[in-house]
C-alpha cells in the first residue's frame, strides 16, 4: 500500500503503477510530437529562412497529427526475402528501450515512476538495448543498404556508449548518489565556495562532462553530425529503408522519444532537474516541477537540434576516432579531476 | 608548372593521402575477394541527374568503379543537323540547364565568326553580364549542394534563396528563368527593361553576402574540412590528360582560364578580374576555387554594369540566316569548364555537323581512375566536388 | 573573429537566420507577379493572322497546327480585282509539346502572336493542353505592354 | 530573298581551291530521289584538282606560334603530313591515318599539347533529308536561285581537305602557350579504323568509345570499345548521315500547307496557293 502523500489518499500498488504508466504513456508521444513540431518543423525551417508547414491548423500545429495519421494508414510492407518474425519484432525492441528510460526521470519532488537508487546506471544500461533492435532490423530486411546501415550504427552506438557513461560518472561522484532524485537534491542544496543562493547546478562545475554528454547523446540519437547509419546520400535510409507504415512510426517515435528522454536526463543531471530556487514544496511544487523540467528539456533539445541543422556529417572512421581518441580520454580526465576535488574540498 | 597559389600551400595529410590515391599499385596487390557490387544511381541523390556509378566494394572501400551514362542521351548532335540556326539555339541551352545562357554563347560566336559579322559593343557587354550571371546561378547551387551531399541540410536552402534573385533578373530581361533563348546571331533579342541595372546590383550584393555566409557556415567548419581535405586528389598532369577543365583543373594548380587566355569578342578584356587557383587539387580546393569564382563573377558584373556602353543591341543581319560554308571551333569558359562547338557549315540553313564538346563529359571520365581505393562516403564527396550536370555528359 | 572555431561561426549563422524573416511566399494565398516579359503562354490575335504558316514551320517541336482556306474579299479600290484573303479555320498550340522558346512569336511577320506572363493553366488531362483558336484569343486580354527599355538602349527599331 | 550570298567574309575567303563554290539551296522542285544516294565512288572531278604540296596562298599572315607547329609536325611526320590550313587564327592539320598516333605523340611530347580537348568523327556524305539545306524553305515556290551545280552525293570536305566520306578529328590544346591544333585523318569508307590514342591521352578512352558507337570507327588498341550511351543491343551508327531520323518520319509535318481551293470556283492553277506538298513530304 504505497501512500501517495501528494493526493493524501491510499492507493494500492497496482493502482499507483497504473496511474504512473498512464502518465508515462501520455508524456512520451506528447513529448516527442512537441519536439518534432517545435524543432523539426518550425525551428529548422526558420533557420533555413522559410516558414515550415503553415496549412494544417493555426501556424501548422496540426501537421504533426497529420504525419502520425499518414504513417498509420500506410501499408505495412514486408520485403520478400525478409525474415518476417525478426523484421516485425525489431521496432518493438527499439521502442521498448526508449520507454524504459522514462522510469527514472523525476519531474517533481514526488513525481517519479520509481526512485531507484541506481537510477542513472539503470537509465544508461536500458538505453543500449536499442542497438540490438537496430541490428535485428538491418539484418532481417535482407537488403544491402540496411545491412550496411545496421553495421555502421552498431559500431557507432557502442563507441558512444562509453563517453556517455563516463561523463555521468563525474556527476555521480560530485552528487555522491546514483539516484536521480538524490542528484537533484544534491544540486538543490549544494553550494559553490559558500555561495549557496542558486544551489550548485552541476553544469557549472561539470561543464566538460556536460559537453561530452551532449556530443555522446547526439551520437546516440544518430543525428547529424553523427548520422552515418542513416546517411541519406549514401545509404538511402540505413536500417529503416525497408520499413513502412506504423513500424516506421515506431522507429520515428523511438528516435524522438529517446531525444526527449536524453535531454530530460541531461537537464536532471546538469541543470538541476525540476528544482529551481524558491520552489515551494508540496502540491504547488509538484505542479511547477514538470513545467521547470520541460523548459530545461526544451533548452537542451534546442542545443542538440541546433547542432543537427548546422553541421555536415562525419565519415565513419573520423566518427570512431573522435569517440575513442578524444571523448573517452577527456571524460576520464574529468573523472580524475572531480575525484581529487571531491576529496580535497 | 607555375603554381601561382594564392593561400599558403597547406600540406594537409596530402603526402599520405596521395600515396593512398596512387591506387594502381595498391589494388592489384589485394587478393581477388568477391566484393559487393553497389549501384550508386541512376536515381540517386548524389548524382546531378541520371548518372549510374557501378562500384565493387571490399567492405567500405571501392575496389573498382565505372560510371555508366546514357540515361539522359537526347542525341543533340543528330538533332542539330535537321534544325536551322535559331532552332539550334533553343536546343543547346538545354545541355547545361543550370547555366543555360552560357551554352548559347559559344555557338552564336562560332556562327558569327563564320558569317564574319560582329555584334555591337552593347550586345557584347550584355552577353558577358548574362554569361557571368549564368555562372553565378550555376555555381551557387553547387556551393549549397556540396553541403547537402556531406549531410548539412541548411546551406542548400541559402543557395536556393539567393539564387532566386539572379533567376528573377534573368527572367525579367529574357522571359525565361532557365532557358532564356536570348542570344541571336548578330546580337540579342531585345534590350534590358528599365530599372534592371540597379536591381542587378542589389542581387549581386545578396550573392556576395551569401558567399560570406557560406564561408562561415560550411567552408570554415572543421567537420567539412575533415571530410574534404585530401579527398579525391587530382594531380594536374593526369587531370589535363583526361581533358578536365574549369574549376576542377584550376583547383589542381593550373592557371588557365579561357576568359583571359583566348581572344573572345566578349567584354572580359575591359574588366579587371583575377583567375583563382589552388595547389592542393582535392575536393576542398575545388570547393574553394568555385566559391572565389562566384565572388569574382559578382565583381565582374558590377564593373560591367557601370561601364555598359549605349547603342543598338542588334547588328544588320538578314532575316533568313544562311551561314556560309566553312568550319569553326569556338569555345568559352562555361561554369562547368571549357565548352566548345565545332560547327561545320555547308551554306545551308542549319549546321551540317555540330560537335558539342561539353565540360562534364571529360570531367567525369576521370572517375574510374579517381575512385579506386576510396571509402563509400568519399565517393559521394568526390562526385559532389567534381560537379557535373547530366545533360552536359549525355547530350 | 579569426580565432573563433569554424563550427561556432556556423552556429552563429544559423541562429542569425532564425531571427530573420522568412523569404517564402505562401502560394495559394499570396501570389508573386511574374515579370512583364515572362514567357507564360502564347496569345493569338486572330485578325492579324494571314495563315502564312511561318510559325508552324519554324517551330522546332512541331506543336502548332494550322488550317485555313482562301476566300474572296472586296477589292480595296472599286473596280479592282477581288483580293484573295485567307481565313483561319483552326489554330492549335499543343502546350504539352511546346518548349516556350518564342521562335513563333518572333518569326510572325504580321505580329499575330504575343507572349503573356500567365502561368496558371495546368490541366488534369494532357489532352486539354491543346489550346484552340478562341482559347488563345482569350489570352490576348492578359498580354501586358512591353516594359520601357533601360537608359542607353537604342530606340526600338 | 537575296540570292545565296556569296561567301564574302574574310574567314571563308581563303583560296583553298578544293572547296567548290557553295550554293544555298537544293533544287526545290526536283523531287528528291528516294533511291539510295548515287554511289559516290565516281564523283565528277572537283572544280580544280587538289594541289598536293603547292603552298596555298595564305591570305592571312600565319602567326609564328602556329608556323612553328606546322614546321615541326611536317618535319616529324614526313609524308604523313598531308595538308595544313590556318583559318581564323586556328590551325588544322590533316595527317595520314597511319601517322595518327605518331602525330598525337609528337603534339603531346614536343609541342607541349598537354590538354586533350576532344575526339570525334565527321560523315561527309551529304544527305538531302538531313543536310539542313531544305529543312525549311522560306518560299517553296521560288525555284530560281536554287541553281546547284553538283548533284546530291558529291563529297566536299571542309578545311584541310580530305576526299573520303569518314574523317576522325581531334583537338589538342596547350594550357601554357594557349594554342590549339585540330588533327584530322581520313578513314576509308568500308571499314573506318584508326589507331587508338588512349596510350597517349587517357581522356581519349571515352571519346573513342563514343565515336565507335556513333560512327562505327574501329580503334585498334582501345582497352574496351563498348557502348557509351546507347543500350547494348542497338544496331547501326546513329550519327551517320544515312541513319534515318525516325522522329521525323512518324509525325506529319504541321508546316504542311493544305489550303483547299477557293470554294465554288474552277481551281485555276494559282501557283501561290497550292504549295507543292511533295516538297513538304521531303522533310
Amino acid at each position: 500500500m504505497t501512500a501517495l502523500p501528494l493526493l493524501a489518499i491510499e492507493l494500492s500498488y497496482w493502482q499507483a503503477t497504473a496511474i504512473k504508466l498512464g502518465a508515462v504513456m501520455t508524456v512520451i508521444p506528447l513529448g516527442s510530437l512537441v519536439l518534432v513540431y517545435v524543432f523539426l518543423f518550425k525551428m529548422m525551417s526558420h533557420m533555413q529562412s522559410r516558414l515550415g508547414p503553415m496549412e494544417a491548423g493555426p501556424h501548422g500545429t496540426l501537421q504533426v497529427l497529420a504525419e502520425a495519421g499518414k504513417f498509420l494508414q500506410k501499408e505495412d510492407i514486408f520485403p520478400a526475402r525478409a525474415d518476417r518474425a525478426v523484421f516485425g519484432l525489431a521496432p518493438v525492441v527499439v521502442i521498448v528501450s526508449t520507454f524504459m528510460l522514462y522510469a527514472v526521470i523525476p519531474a517533481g519532488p514526488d513525481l517519479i515512476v520509481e526512485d531507484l537508487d541506481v537510477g542513472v546506471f539503470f537509465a544508461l544500461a536500458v538505453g543500449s538495448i536499442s542497438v540490438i533492435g537496430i541490428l535485428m532490423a538491418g539484418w532481417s530486411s535482407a537488403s544491402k543498404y540496411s545491412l550496411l546501415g545496421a553495421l555502421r550504427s552498431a559500431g557507432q552506438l557502442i563507441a558512444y556508449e562509453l563517453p556517455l557513461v563516463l561523463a555521468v560518472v563525474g556527476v555521480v561522484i560530485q552528487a555522491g548518489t546514483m539516484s536521480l532524485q538524490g542528484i537533484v537534491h544534491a544540486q538543490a542544496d549544494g553550494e559553490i565556495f559558500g555561495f549557496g543562493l542558486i544551489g550548485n547546478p552541476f553544469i557549472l562545475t561539470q561543464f566538460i562532462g556536460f559537453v561530452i554528454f551532449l556530443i555522446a547523446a547526439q551520437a546516440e540519437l544518430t543525428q547529424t553530425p553523427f548520422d552515418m547509419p542513416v546517411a541519406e546520400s549514401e545509404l538511402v535510409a540505413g536500417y529503416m529503408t525497408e520499413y513502412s507504415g506504423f513500424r516506421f512510426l515506431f522507429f520515428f517515435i523511438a528516435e524522438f522519444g529517446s531525444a526527449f528522454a536524453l535531454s530530460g536526463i541531461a537537464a536532471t543531471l546538469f541543470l538541476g532537474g525540476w528544482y529551481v530556487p524558491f520552489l515551494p514544496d508540496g502540491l504547488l511544487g509538484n505542479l511547477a516541477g514538470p513545467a521547470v523540467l520541460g523548459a530545461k528539456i526544451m533548452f537542451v533539445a534546442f542545443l542538440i537540434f541546433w547542432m543537427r541543422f548546422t553541421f555536415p556529417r562525419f565519415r565513419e572512421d573520423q566518427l570512431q576516432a573522435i569517440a575513442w581518441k578524444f571523448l573517452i580520454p577527456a571524460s576520464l580526465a574529468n573523472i580524475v579531476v572531480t575525484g581529487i576535488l571531491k576529496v580535497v574540498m | 608548372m607555375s603554381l601561382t597559389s594564392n593561400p599558403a600551400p597547406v600540406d594537409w595529410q596530402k603526402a599520405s593521402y596521395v600515396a593512398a590515391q596512387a591506387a594502381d599499385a595498391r589494388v592489384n596487390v589485394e587478393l581477388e575477394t568477391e566484393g559487393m557490387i553497389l549501384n550508386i544511381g541512376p536515381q540517386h541523390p548524389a548524382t546531378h541527374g541520371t548518372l549510374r556509378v557501378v562500384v565493387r566494394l571490399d567492405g567500405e572501400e571501392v575496389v573498382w568503379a565505372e560510371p555508366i551514362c546514357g540515361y539522359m542521351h537526347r542525341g543533340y548532335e543528330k538533332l542539330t543537323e535537321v534544325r536551322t540556326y535559331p532552332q539550334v539555339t533553343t536546343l543547346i541551352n538545354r545541355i547545361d540547364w543550370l547555366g543555360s545562357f552560357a551554352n548559347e554563347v559559344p555557338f552564336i560566336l562560332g556562327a558569327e565568326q563564320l558569317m564574319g559579322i560582329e555584334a555591337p559593343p552593347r550586345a557584347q557587354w550584355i552577353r558577358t553580364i548574362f554569361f557571368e550571371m549564368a555562372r553565378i546561378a550555376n555555381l551557387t547551387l553547387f556551393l549549397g549542394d556540396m553541403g547537402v551531399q556531406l549531410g548539412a541540410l541548411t546551406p542548400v536552402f541559402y543557395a536556393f534563396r539567393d539564387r532566386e534573385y539572379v533567376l528573377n533578373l534573368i527572367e525579367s530581361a529574357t522571359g525565361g528563368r532557365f532557358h532564356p533563348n536570348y542570344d541571336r546571331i548578330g546580337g540579342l533579342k531585345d534590350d534590358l527593361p528599365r530599372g534592371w541595372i540597379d536591381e542587378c546590383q542589389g542581387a549581386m550584393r545578396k550573392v556576395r553576402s551569401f558567399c560570406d555566409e557560406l564561408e562561415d557556415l560550411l567552408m570554415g567548419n572543421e567537420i567539412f574540412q575533415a571530410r574534404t581535405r585530401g579527398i579525391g586528389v587530382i594531380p594536374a598532369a593526369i587531370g589535363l590528360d583526361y581533358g578536365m577543365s574549369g574549376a576542377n583543373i584550376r583547383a589542381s594548380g593550373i592557371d588557365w582560364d579561357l576568359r583571359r587566355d583566348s581572344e573572345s569578342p566578349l567584354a572580359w578584356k575591359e574588366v579587371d578580374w583575377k583567375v583563382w587557383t589552388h595547389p592542393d587539387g582535392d575536393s576542398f580546393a575545388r570547393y574553394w576555387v568555385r566559391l572565389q569564382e562566384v565572388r569574382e563573377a559578382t565583381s565582374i558584373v558590377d564593373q560591367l554594369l557601370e561601364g555598359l556602353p549605349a547603342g543598338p543591341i542588334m547588328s544588320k543581319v538578314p532575316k533568313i540566316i544562311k551561314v556560309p560554308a566553312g568550319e569553326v571551333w569556338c569555345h568559352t569558359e562555361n561554369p562547368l569548364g571549357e565548352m566548345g562547338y565545332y560547327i561545320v557549315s555547308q551554306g545551308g540553313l542549319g549546321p551540317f555537323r555540330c560537335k558539342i564538346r561539353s565540360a562534364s563529359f571529360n570531367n567525369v571520365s576521370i572517375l574510374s581512375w579517381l575512385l579506386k581505393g576510396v571509402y563509400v562516403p568519399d565517393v559521394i564527396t568526390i562526385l559532389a566536388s567534381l560537379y557535373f550536370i547530366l545533360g552536359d555528359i549525355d547530350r | 573573429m579569426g580565432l573563433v572555431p569554424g563550427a561556432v561561426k556556423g552556429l552563429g549563422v544559423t541562429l542569425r537566420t532564425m531571427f530573420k524573416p522568412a523569404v517564402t511566399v505562401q502560394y495559394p494565398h499570396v501570389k508573386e507577379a511574374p515579370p512583364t516579359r515572362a514567357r507564360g503562354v502564347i496569345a493569338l490575335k486572330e485578325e492579324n493572322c494571314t495563315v502564312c504558316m511561318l510559325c508552324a514551320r519554324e517551330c522546332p517541336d512541331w506543336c502548332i497546327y494550322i488550317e485555313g482556306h482562301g476566300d474572296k474579299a472586296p477589292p480595296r479600290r472599286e473596280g479592282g480585282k477581288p483580293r484573295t484573303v485567307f481565313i483561319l479555320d483552326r489554330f492549335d498550340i499543343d502546350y504539352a509539346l511546346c518548349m516556350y522558346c518564342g521562335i513563333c512569336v518572333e518569326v510572325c511577320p504580321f505580329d499575330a502572336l504575343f507572349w503573356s506572363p500567365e502561368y496558371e493553366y495546368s490541366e488534369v488531362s494532357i489532352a486539354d493542353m491543346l489550346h484552340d483558336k478562341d482559347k488563345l484569343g482569350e489570352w490576348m486580354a492578359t498580354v501586358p505592354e512591353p516594359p520601357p527599355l533601360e537608359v542607353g538602349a537604342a530606340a526600338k527599331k | 530573298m537575296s540570292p545565296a550570298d556569296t561567301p564574302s567574309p574574310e574567314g571563308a575567303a581563303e583560296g583553298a581551291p578544293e572547296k567548290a563554290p557553295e550554293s544555298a539551296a537544293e533544287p526545290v522542285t526536283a523531287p528528291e530521289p528516294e533511291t539510295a544516294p548515287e554511289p559516290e565512288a565516281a564523283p565528277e572531278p572537283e572544280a580544280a584538282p587538289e594541289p598536293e604540296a603547292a603552298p596555298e596562298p595564305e591570305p592571312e599572315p600565319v602567326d609564328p606560334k602556329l608556323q612553328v607547329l606546322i614546321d615541326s609536325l611536317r618535319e616529324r611526320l614526313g609524308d604523313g603530313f598531308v595538308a595544313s590550313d590556318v583559318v581564323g587564327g586556328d590551325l588544322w592539320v590533316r595527317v595520314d591515318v597511319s601517322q595518327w598516333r605518331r602525330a598525337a605523340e609528337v603534339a603531346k611530347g614536343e609541342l607541349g599539347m598537354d590538354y586533350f580537348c576532344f575526339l570525334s568523327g565527321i560523315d561527309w556524305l551529304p544527305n538531302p533529308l538531313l543536310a539542313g539545306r531544305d529543312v525549311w524553305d522560306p518560299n517553296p515556290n521560288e525555284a530560281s536561285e536554287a541553281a546547284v551545280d553538283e548533284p546530291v552525293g558529291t563529297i566536299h570536305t571542309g578545311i584541310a581537305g580530305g576526299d573520303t566520306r569518314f574523317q576522325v578529328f581531334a583537338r589538342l590544346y596547350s594550357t601554357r602557350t594557349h594554342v590549339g591544333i585540330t588533327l584530322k585523318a581520313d578513314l576509308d569508307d568500308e571499314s573506318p579504323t584508326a589507331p587508338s590514342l588512349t596510350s597517349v591521352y587517357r581522356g581519349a578512352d571515352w571519346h573513342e568509345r563514343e565515336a565507335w558507337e556513333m560512327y562505327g570507327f574501329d580503334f585498334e588498341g582501345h582497352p574496351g570499345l563498348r557502348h557509351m550511351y546507347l543500350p547494348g543491343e542497338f544496331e547501326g551508327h546513329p550519327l551517320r548521315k544515312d541513319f534515318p531520323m525516325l522522329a521525323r518520319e512518324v509525325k506529319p509535318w504541321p508546316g504542311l500547307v493544305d489550303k483547299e481551293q477557293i470554294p465554288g470556283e474552277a481551281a485555276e492553277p494559282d501557283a501561290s496557293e497550292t504549295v507543292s506538298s511533295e516538297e513538304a513530304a521531303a522533310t
Side-chain angles (χ1 to χ4, degrees):
Chain A
M1 287 293 289
T2 59
L4 254 182
L6 176 68
L7 304 178
I9 47 173
E10 295 310 316
L11 281 176
S12 67
Y13 179 73
W14 64 271
Q15 281 165 337
T17 26
I19 293 172
K20 287 177 191 168
L21 200 61
V24 166
M25 293 306 273
T26 55
V27 159
I28 295 175
L30 197 66
S32 45
L33 289 188
V34 161
L35 225 57
V36 165
Y37 170 71
V38 169
F39 293 113
L40 206 58
F41 286 169
K42 279 302 151 188
M43 181 180 117
M44 173 161 153
S45 36
H46 282 293
M47 274 191 174
Q48 293 162 353
S49 68
R50 52 189 174 86
L51 288 177
M54 298 289 281
E55 292 305 314
H59 215 65
T61 41
L62 301 185
Q63 177 74 20
V64 186
L65 300 184
E67 294 279 336
K70 175 191 78 174
F71 278 125
L72 288 179
Q73 50 92 14
K74 277 249 174 70
E75 187 208 351
D76 183 12
I77 300 167
F78 278 65
R81 291 201 312 275
D83 176 344
R84 298 185 71 80
V86 175
F87 188 84
L89 205 58
V92 174
V93 169
V94 172
I95 206 155
V96 155
S97 95
T98 311
F99 275 29
M100 283 203 278
L101 274 175
Y102 285 82
V104 282
I105 301 175
D110 307 313
L111 300 182
I112 185 163
V113 177
E114 196 52 52
D115 182 9
L116 306 169
D117 44 20
V118 281
V120 174
F121 182 75
F122 167 82
L124 296 175
V126 148
S128 60
I129 295 178
S130 59
V131 179
I132 307 167
I134 288 167
L135 277 179
M136 283 162 65
W139 175 259
S140 64
S141 312
S143 110
K144 266 180 270 187
Y145 285 127
S146 313
L147 187 63
L148 262 178
L151 291 178
R152 278 188 183 178
S153 65
Q156 172 179 325
L157 292 185
I158 292 165
Y160 279 90
E161 202 63 41
L162 270 169
L164 198 71
V165 171
L166 294 176
V168 167
V169 165
V171 167
V172 168
I173 295 172
Q174 190 157 352
T177 154
M178 276 217 277
S179 112
L180 282 161
Q181 202 67 306
I183 291 174
V184 169
H185 286 309
Q187 289 177 51
D189 41 35
E191 76 285 333
I192 317 156
F193 316 118
F195 171 73
L197 181 61
I198 58 159
N200 165 22
F202 285 145
I203 189 168
L204 304 178
T205 54
Q206 290 286 334
F207 186 71
I208 304 168
F210 178 66
V211 166
I212 293 171
F213 188 90
L214 264 193
I215 294 175
Q218 188 92 0
E220 283 295 312
L221 303 171
T222 58
Q223 289 198 348
T224 320
F226 301 99
D227 69 343
M228 279 315 286
V230 189
E232 308 77 20
S233 48
E234 297 113 38
L235 298 178
V236 184
Y239 55 88
M240 289 193 273
T241 324
E242 302 303 331
Y243 279 87
S244 64
F246 74 96
R247 288 184 205 288
F248 186 81
L249 190 61
F250 273 7
F251 278 121
F252 205 71
I253 295 245
E255 186 190 338
F256 279 90
S258 50
F260 195 76
L262 278 176
S263 347
I265 293 173
T268 316
L269 296 182
F270 293 98
L271 297 172
W274 48 265
Y275 175 75
V276 100
F278 315 115
L279 184 77
D281 48 14
L283 183 62
L284 204 59
N286 280 320
L287 285 184
V292 169
L293 183 65
K296 290 181 181 171
I297 286 179
M298 279 305 177
F299 171 68
V300 173
F302 171 78
L303 291 181
I304 290 182
F305 282 98
W306 190 12
M307 276 215 285
R308 172 177 177 164
F309 301 141
T310 312
F311 292 148
R313 174 184 309 127
F314 277 115
R315 205 180 50 208
E316 192 59 32
D317 53 339
Q318 292 160 348
L319 189 123
Q320 301 289 349
I322 287 177
W324 297 101
K325 292 187 191 133
F326 172 64
L327 286 185
I328 291 177
S331 50
L332 287 176
N334 177 31
I335 292 168
V336 164
V337 166
T338 320
I340 296 168
L341 283 180
K342 177 80 179 174
V343 166
V344 161
M345 296 291 279
Chain B
M1 54 219 152
S2 64
L3 280 182
T4 57
S5 63
N6 306 91
V10 170
D11 192 1
W12 184 277
Q13 304 140 338
K14 199 155 104 61
S16 67
Y17 213 87
V18 164
Q21 282 300 303
D24 292 348
R26 248 166 64 79
V27 166
N28 43 40
V29 156
E30 305 278 325
L31 41 90
E32 185 49 59
T33 55
E34 190 268 320
M36 180 170 90
I37 299 274
L38 192 66
N39 271 322
I40 300 181
Q43 284 80 24
H44 193 281
T47 55
H48 300 270
T50 55
L51 171 78
R52 171 172 162 220
V53 184
V54 180
V55 160
R56 177 170 321 126
L57 295 180
D58 172 11
E60 286 259 347
E61 217 182 281
V62 171
V63 169
W64 159 87
E66 154 130 34
I68 296 175
C69 26
Y71 292 89
M72 179 81 83
H73 180 57
R74 296 158 286 192
Y76 266 2
E77 288 169 12
K78 188 79 176 178
L79 284 177
T80 50
E81 287 163 8
V82 288
R83 278 180 161 62
T84 66
Y85 279 89
Q87 289 173 342
V88 168
T89 39
T90 65
L91 199 65
I92 47 175
N93 64 33
R94 282 156 168 74
I95 293 178
D96 162 17
W97 53 71
L98 281 181
S100 44
F101 182 79
N103 302 331
E104 297 166 15
V105 166
F107 182 78
I108 296 288
L109 292 180
E112 279 174 358
Q113 194 177 331
L114 271 179
M115 290 177 78
I117 50 176
E118 180 92 8
R122 183 178 176 85
Q124 301 288 20
W125 282 63
I126 294 181
R127 273 184 188 159
T128 324
I129 291 175
F130 275 93
F131 199 98
E132 291 304 321
M133 283 175 73
R135 183 187 310 282
I136 291 171
N138 194 329
L139 292 185
T140 40
L141 188 108
F142 159 73
L143 296 173
D145 174 75
M146 183 75 167
V148 160
Q149 303 298 351
L150 298 178
L153 305 174
T154 329
V156 76
F157 285 98
Y158 297 165
F160 275 111
R161 176 193 66 195
D162 290 332
R163 192 167 158 268
E164 217 44 48
Y165 302 110
V166 176
L167 291 182
N168 289 344
L169 275 166
I170 294 179
E171 183 180 23
S172 67
T174 66
R177 290 160 54 85
F178 259 53
H179 302 300
N181 187 18
Y182 186 55
D183 214 352
R184 293 293 174 274
I185 291 185
L188 296 170
K189 187 166 86 172
D190 45 30
D191 213 308
L192 304 172
R194 179 154 320 233
W196 192 86
I197 288 188
D198 20 0
E199 243 178 79
C200 191
Q201 276 152 358
M204 288 307 123
R205 274 192 298 277
K206 286 204 175 61
V207 170
R208 265 194 290 277
S209 77
F210 161 73
C211 288
D212 307 339
E213 232 176 37
L214 217 60
E215 187 145 4
D216 293 349
L217 179 61
L218 200 56
M219 217 172 76
N221 193 313
E222 285 77 13
I223 303 172
F224 180 79
Q225 302 205 0
R227 278 296 299 277
T228 51
R229 278 199 186 266
I231 310 287
V233 178
I234 300 177
I238 295 189
L240 285 175
D241 213 25
Y242 274 99
M244 297 185 73
S245 54
N248 292 335
I249 201 70
R250 282 195 286 276
S252 303
I254 299 289
D255 184 3
W256 166 53
D257 187 324
L258 282 175
R259 292 176 286 181
R260 176 195 61 191
D261 299 335
S262 74
E263 62 302 316
S264 83
L266 294 186
W268 283 305
K269 298 284 185 296
E270 279 90 359
V271 166
D272 70 343
W273 55 281
K274 185 166 141 39
V275 175
W276 292 89
T277 61
H278 193 284
D280 286 359
D282 53 12
S283 306
F284 181 79
R286 288 189 279 275
Y287 187 87
W288 184 84
V289 167
R290 289 201 174 95
L291 186 69
Q292 311 309 330
E293 270 183 14
V294 168
R295 284 207 179 102
E296 208 56 47
T298 52
S299 86
I300 291 177
V301 168
D302 280 347
Q303 294 169 48
L304 286 173
L305 286 176
E306 270 126 32
L308 191 58
I313 47 150
M314 192 67 179
S315 65
K316 200 51 209 73
V317 168
K319 187 121 175 55
I320 317 298
I321 291 163
K322 285 196 173 158
V323 178
E327 285 174 45
V328 73
W329 160 256
C330 184
H331 55 159
T332 55
E333 184 67 37
N334 275 42
L336 295 174
E338 175 204 24
M339 178 166 215
Y341 292 87
Y342 190 91
I343 306 170
V344 175
S345 153
Q346 292 192 335
L349 297 159
F352 178 77
R353 159 85 167 109
C354 173
K355 162 69 186 170
I356 302 165
R357 192 270 180 200
S358 53
S360 302
F361 187 75
N362 287 43
N363 291 349
V364 168
S365 61
I366 198 171
L367 269 182
S368 44
W369 176 85
L370 192 56
L371 289 182
K372 285 202 189 79
V374 154
Y375 290 118
V376 170
D378 283 346
V379 169
I380 304 300
T381 317
I382 291 171
L383 281 177
S385 75
L386 279 179
Y387 194 49
F388 47 83
I389 303 273
L390 248 293
D392 227 23
I393 300 175
D394 289 353
R395 293 187 301 273
Chain C
M1 33 181 195
L3 43 91
V4 174
V8 173
K9 266 194 280 184
L11 290 171
V13 168
T14 38
L15 197 64
R16 268 202 309 277
T17 321
M18 197 164 104
F19 297 113
K20 283 195 197 124
V23 292
T24 46
V25 166
Q26 299 300 100
Y27 170 65
H29 317 303
V30 175
K31 288 196 177 125
E32 261 184 358
T36 45
R37 278 191 187 157
R39 300 201 291 258
V41 78
I42 298 170
L44 165 72
K45 192 165 192 220
E46 213 178 322
E47 311 81 72
N48 291 7
C49 177
T50 64
V51 198
C52 68
M53 302 292 281
L54 281 187
C55 54
R57 286 179 180 157
E58 192 61 22
C59 168
D61 293 351
W62 292 9
C63 68
I64 300 178
Y65 310 107
I66 299 177
E67 278 152 25
H69 65 276
D71 206 349
K72 283 289 177 236
R76 255 189 226 92
R77 294 172 272 91
E78 321 72 29
K81 197 166 70 60
R83 291 180 296 115
T84 59
V85 76
F86 295 107
I87 311 298
L88 198 61
D89 293 344
R90 168 182 181 236
F91 190 104
D92 299 349
I93 296 183
D94 184 353
Y95 282 111
L97 294 176
C98 172
M99 63 172 174
Y100 300 94
C101 61
I103 285 185
C104 53
V105 173
E106 229 172 286
V107 87
C108 175
F110 305 100
D111 289 345
L113 290 171
F114 298 91
W115 275 112
S116 132
E118 210 48 45
Y119 59 90
E120 284 160 324
Y121 53 93
S122 57
E123 303 289 343
V124 171
S125 91
I126 204 161
D128 305 344
M129 289 300 281
L130 190 77
H131 289 192
D132 57 9
K133 188 164 49 138
D134 26 32
K135 183 87 186 281
L136 295 175
E138 282 157 27
W139 293 128
M140 272 311 290
T142 64
V143 174
E145 278 305 310
L149 292 184
E150 188 58 276
V151 66
K156 207 95 170 101
K157 58 182 179 310
Chain D
M1 244 304 286
S2 68
D5 40 51
T6 55
S8 57
E10 51 82 22
E14 91 289 23
E18 78 281 6
K19 188 175 325 321
E22 209 40 48
S23 79
E26 276 298 313
V28 167
T29 46
E32 304 319 317
E34 286 315 316
T35 60
E38 288 155 33
E40 66 279 8
E44 103 283 62
E46 291 292 323
E50 186 187 315
E52 245 338 311
E56 294 92 356
E58 291 305 330
E60 62 203 74
V62 175
D63 66 40
K65 278 195 284 185
L66 297 184
Q67 198 51 48
V68 162
L69 298 183
I70 298 175
D71 300 344
S72 51
L73 267 177
R74 194 185 294 252
E75 163 235 321
R76 281 292 182 298
L77 301 179
D79 57 9
F81 185 100
V82 175
S84 84
D85 216 331
V86 175
V87 170
D90 219 344
L91 171 63
W92 272 265
V93 169
R94 186 156 65 85
V95 296
D96 188 76
V97 74
S98 56
Q99 299 281 343
W100 178 248
R101 183 177 289 156
R102 180 88 184 80
E105 275 150 7
V106 164
K108 178 164 187 182
E110 283 111 30
L111 308 181
M113 300 283 174
D114 47 9
Y115 176 76
F116 176 80
C117 195
F118 70 86
L119 178 143
S120 185
I122 300 185
D123 174 3
W124 287 103
L125 176 74
N127 178 332
L129 293 180
L130 290 183
R133 287 241 180 88
D134 54 359
V135 155
W136 165 77
D137 208 315
N139 203 324
N141 311 321
E142 201 176 318
S144 57
E145 56 26 51
V148 173
D149 53 12
E150 102 273 16
V152 168
T154 307
I155 295 175
H156 37 75
T157 54
I159 297 182
D163 36 30
T164 60
R165 171 183 174 191
F166 288 121
Q167 245 186 5
V168 64
F169 68 108
R171 178 153 178 96
L172 310 172
Y173 183 80
S174 154
T175 50
R176 250 174 258 94
T177 57
H178 309 308
V179 165
I181 176 172
T182 311
L183 291 177
K184 279 191 167 185
D186 286 353
L187 308 175
D188 66 294
D189 300 348
E190 276 60 38
S191 67
T193 62
S196 159
L197 297 186
T198 37
S199 56
V200 184
Y201 290 99
R202 296 183 189 213
D205 179 352
W206 276 27
H207 290 266
E208 282 170 358
R209 272 172 63 190
E210 189 195 4
W212 167 77
E213 181 181 49
M214 290 297 170
Y215 282 96
F217 297 164
D218 187 9
F219 291 94
E220 304 119 3
H222 187 278
L225 280 179
R226 52 200 188 291
H227 274 293
M228 189 77 214
Y229 295 132
L230 303 170
E233 59 292 339
F234 188 95
E235 313 100 28
H237 303 292
L239 271 184
R240 285 192 178 181
K241 285 290 193 277
D242 46 19
F243 192 88
M245 271 282 289
L246 295 184
R248 293 277 156 131
E249 267 73 17
V250 164
K251 182 173 178 185
W253 183 43
L256 204 61
V257 177
D258 53 8
K259 290 184 226 165
E260 305 89 13
Q261 302 315 320
I262 296 175
E265 251 180 16
E268 82 277 20
D270 177 343
S272 69
E273 261 184 65
T274 55
V275 171
S276 60
S277 57
E278 72 275 20
E279 171 266 333
T283 51

